[in-house]
Amino acid sequence: AGRARVAWAVAAGLGALFVALVVGAPLLKAGGFGAAAGSVYGAFTLLCHQMDERSFHVAGFKLAVCARCFGLYVGVLLGALLYPLARPPARRDLPARGWLIAAAVPTSVDFALGFFGLWENTHASRFLTASLLGGVVAFYLVPGAVDLALTSRKYLFGRNRNFQPELSNLLPTEG
């Protein structure tokens, strides 16, 4: 249970780091640390379009990602932090895949309606629908981190090339 809690804490910590970097970029830029801010913006350009008109702003500068991506990261952070209230951290099985699909529906609908001009989505709609998806995604990421932490190092780094991983722990459960 100790390693499982550490894995959960690492997953939550990585979520917090992502959110801090996203919010920190404009604060760095406003504080005169343009090179550091540029590094953060540059790293996140690999993950997000960073369109100014689709981003929240802090201290007069856009966040390092758009409102939808920020919602995903905040959702993952909140989901990871709340994970132990819903499931024991040592659980390695995944929730049923239907939960992930259901959580993606609001974001998909918000995107599609905006794309086809049927609805003018807003920063709030992008952020909130993606936050829901991110919160659910955390319930798939945390068990993966726990499984990685609890898997014997022999199986991860050993020389046994014939090893076949046990997939029963990685497959979703029903319910």
Side-chain angles (χ1 to χ4, degrees), residues 10-155:
V10 167
L14 287 173
L17 177 64
F18 265 67
V19 170
L21 287 170
V22 167
V23 175
L27 295 176
L28 286 168
K29 193 169 185 178
F33 299 97
S39 295
V40 175
Y41 283 114
F44 280 101
T45 196
L46 300 170
L47 304 173
C48 177
H49 57 71
Q50 299 176 323
M51 292 171 65
D52 192 65
E53 66 274 10
R54 292 191 181 178
S55 301
F56 291 116
H57 289 71
V58 172
F61 299 99
K62 69 179 178 179
L63 294 182
V65 295
C66 70
R68 184 171 284 127
C69 290
F70 186 54
L72 278 170
Y73 297 141
V74 168
V76 167
L77 171 59
L78 293 176
L81 291 173
L82 296 174
Y83 185 88
L85 299 176
R87 302 178 86 194
R91 279 187 71 175
R92 297 160 87 169
D93 61 309
L94 300 175
R97 197 171 298 127
W99 290 108
L100 187 59
I101 293 167
V105 168
T107 299
S108 301
V109 168
D110 184 60
F111 171 80
L113 292 176
F115 182 80
F116 291 112
L118 302 172
W119 149 275
E120 185 63 37
N121 54 26
T122 64
H123 287 25
S125 70
R126 293 177 188 125
F127 176 83
L128 291 172
T129 57
S131 293
L132 172 65
L133 177 57
V136 172
V137 164
F139 282 75
Y140 295 82
L141 293 177
V142 171
V146 169
D147 191 56
L148 185 62
L150 296 178
T151 299
S152 169
R153 301 300 178 256
K154 285 183 191 178
Y155 293 125

